Amino acid sequence: MQVEQILKQFTDTLPDQKLIRLYGKVTKVVGLTVESSGPQAVLGDLCSIRGGRAVCQAEVVGFREGKLILVPLGEMGDIGPGSEVLALHNRLSVPCGPGLLGRILDGLGRPMDGLGPIRNARPREIEQAPIDPLQRKRIEHRIQTGVRVIDSLLTVGDGQRVGIFAGSGVGKSTLLSMIARGTEADVNVIALVGERGREVREFIERDLGDEGLRRSVVVVATSDQPALIRTKAAFVATAIAEYFSDAGYHVNFMMDSVTRFAMAQREVGLAAGEPPTARGYTPSVFALLPKLLERTGPGVRGSITAFYTVLVDGDDMNDPIADTVRGILDGHIVLSRRLANAGHFPAVDVLSSVSRLFSTVVDKQHHQAAQIARAWLSKYRDIEDLLRIGAYRQGTDAETDLAIAKIPEVNAILTQATDDLTNMGETLQSLSAVTGVSE
C-alpha cells in the first residue's frame, strides 16, 4: 500500500516537472543586452546564462531575427560567445509572509540585511494584473500621515495614490520618512529605486529609525545596479504591498522615485531596440507606468495608500514622466525650492498641490477651515512682492490685511521638524483655532 501511495504521488507530480532542459548559446553581447540562439522561451521568462564558472540570471525582453534578447539580472563579465543559456520557464517571484516585517530586501526580493531567509513565506510572482476596478472598495475614510500640512489642507484617503513632485535636494526623502513614522497604517512598504548607496543606510537608520523599521519592509536597488534590477525593485515592493493588503492590512506604500524607475526602463527599452520618443523615453515606459501605479489603491480586503516621489528635471513640473504620473494618480504634492531655501519645511507648495479626494474624506467643518486657510495663502502670495518693497499700505483691503495677520499662524501649522509628528486630532484643532471654524 505504501508503495502504491509513493507511485501515485510520483505520477501526480510528473506532469508539472520539466524533464527536458532546453539550452541555447550566446551569439552576441551589445551594451546591456545578450543575444542568444535558442532556447525556446516567451517574453518575461527567466533564463540562466553560464559563463565560465559564474552563472547569471537574465530575463527575455524581446526577439530579433529569431534570436532571444536577454537583459541580465546581474553582472555579465564572464559571459562570452557560446555561453550556455538555459530556459527556466518561470518568472521572477518574491517570498511573501509575516516574516517580511523589519526586513531589508534587494531589488530581486532577496534579503540583504544578513538576517537569513524569510521564514514561513510563499513565493508570489512580482508581475500581477491590477484588481478589477468593480471589486475595489470606495475611498471614504481619511488616513493620518503625521505631517500637518498634508493632514490639514491636503488630506489623504485610505487607499489614495499621491505623487510627491520636486527637484533634487528639496526634501522628498525626508517627507517620506515623516509619513512612514507618523502614519496610522498597519504596514509600511518602502521602495528605494535608483538611490545613492550612501543615502540608503542614512534613510533606514536616521530617517526611518528602529520604530519605523519594525513595521516596515524596505526594498533597495541602488543606482549602480543593472537597469533591469532597478525596474524589478518597484514590482517586488508592489507585490509585497499587495500580499499584506490581501491579508486585510492597511498598507502605506512609498516609492522613491518613479523617475528613476522610468529612466531604468528607458535603458532596457533602448537596449531592446525601441525607438526613443518624448525626451528619449521609449514607448514601453509610458505603457509600464499605469501597470505599476494602478496596482496600488483600495483592495478587496485591505488597502494600499501610496506615495510616489517624482524627481522633476530642472523643477519642470510638465516633463513627460511628471505629466503622465500626475494624470494617473489621485493627487499631487508639490515641493517648492523657494520655500526650502527660505527654511520652510516641509517645503510643500499648498496652492500648487491638490488631493482629488479631499472633499470626499473630510467633514464640512474641516473643508470650510481648509478653504479659508487656502484663501489666506493665495491672498498673501498675490501681494508678497509688494510687501517686500514696502509698496502695500495697510487698510487698502480688509481681506488682504486679515491674510497678512493670519499668515504666521497658518505657517506655524504648515511647518514642523522631522521628529515633530502630530496626530490628526491635534492638527485639526490647530486649524480650527486659527480659522475660527468650530468642529
Side-chain angles (χ1 to χ4, degrees), residues 115-398:
L115 300 179
I118 308 298
R119 296 182 179 179
N120 301 322
R122 293 185 177 181
R124 183 187 183 105
E125 285 194 6
I126 66 169
E127 296 189 19
Q128 305 277 346
I131 299 174
D132 187 323
L134 296 181
Q135 293 182 0
R136 290 185 186 272
K137 296 180 295 185
R138 292 182 59 188
I139 300 174
E140 298 177 325
H141 306 287
R142 68 192 181 195
I143 190 168
Q144 172 185 300
T145 66
V147 181
R148 291 194 292 265
V149 63
I150 297 177
D151 290 343
S152 59
L153 304 185
L154 301 167
T155 311
V156 175
D158 183 12
Q160 187 172 344
R161 302 162 305 152
V162 181
I164 300 175
F165 296 74
S168 58
V170 185
K172 298 183 300 301
S173 299
T174 303
L175 180 58
L176 285 186
S177 70
M178 292 173 69
I179 295 171
R181 287 180 282 114
T183 183
E184 61 181 351
D186 303 315
V187 176
N188 290 314
V189 178
I190 304 169
L192 303 178
V193 180
E195 280 291 321
R196 304 175 188 89
R198 173 187 61 82
E199 293 182 339
V200 172
R201 188 167 182 178
E202 288 182 4
F203 177 85
I204 293 171
E205 295 182 358
R206 183 192 65 193
D207 295 336
L208 191 58
D210 292 338
E211 180 184 350
L213 184 59
R214 271 195 295 271
R215 57 170 176 159
S216 303
V217 184
V218 183
V219 179
V220 177
T222 52
S223 59
D224 60 303
Q225 293 184 311
L228 193 58
I229 292 183
R230 281 177 272 145
T231 62
K232 294 304 179 187
F235 288 100
V236 165
T238 304
I240 292 171
E242 287 174 328
Y243 160 76
F244 283 108
S245 176
D246 291 345
Y249 291 93
H250 296 284
V251 181
N252 183 48
F253 179 83
M254 293 177 286
M255 177 175 163
D256 186 14
S257 70
V258 174
T259 306
R260 294 192 179 106
F261 165 82
M263 289 177 174
Q265 180 58 32
R266 176 175 62 183
E267 290 182 43
V268 174
L270 290 172
E274 287 188 70
T277 53
R279 293 201 187 178
Y281 288 103
T282 57
S284 65
V285 174
F286 301 102
L288 206 58
L289 281 173
K291 290 182 180 179
L292 174 69
L293 303 180
E294 286 289 351
R295 288 173 60 180
T296 55
V300 177
R301 297 185 61 193
S303 63
I304 305 175
T305 305
F307 295 89
Y308 297 94
T309 68
V310 181
L311 180 65
V312 291
D313 187 16
D315 294 339
D316 177 14
M317 298 297 169
N318 294 313
D319 74 38
I321 299 303
D323 201 41
T324 301
V325 171
R326 189 164 50 241
I328 297 172
L329 299 181
D330 308 316
H332 53 273
I333 297 171
V334 177
L335 302 188
S336 165
R337 193 175 298 277
R338 177 181 63 86
L339 291 176
N341 291 340
H344 181 112
F345 290 103
V348 176
D349 185 345
V350 172
L351 298 179
S352 299
S353 307
V354 65
S355 170
R356 294 182 182 176
L357 295 171
F358 180 83
S359 58
T360 303
V361 299
V362 303
D363 56 31
K364 183 178 179 181
Q365 291 77 16
H366 184 177
H367 189 276
Q368 185 180 355
Q371 291 296 95
I372 292 171
R374 274 182 169 270
W376 288 341
L377 289 168
S378 180
K379 283 280 185 184
Y380 185 79
R381 178 174 290 185
D382 289 343
I383 52 89
E384 191 172 7
D385 291 338
L386 295 177
L387 286 172
R388 285 202 182 105
I389 62 175
Y392 177 79
R393 291 187 178 181
Q394 190 173 3
T396 304
D397 180 73

Side-chain angles (χ1 to χ4, degrees), residues 14-36:
L14 189 60
D16 298 326
Q17 303 305 309
K18 302 296 182 184
L19 302 180
I20 301 175
R21 289 191 170 187
L22 301 176
Y23 285 92
K25 289 188 179 295
V26 171
T27 58
K28 186 189 295 186
V29 176
V30 181
L32 301 176
T33 61
V34 176
E35 281 193 14
S36 168

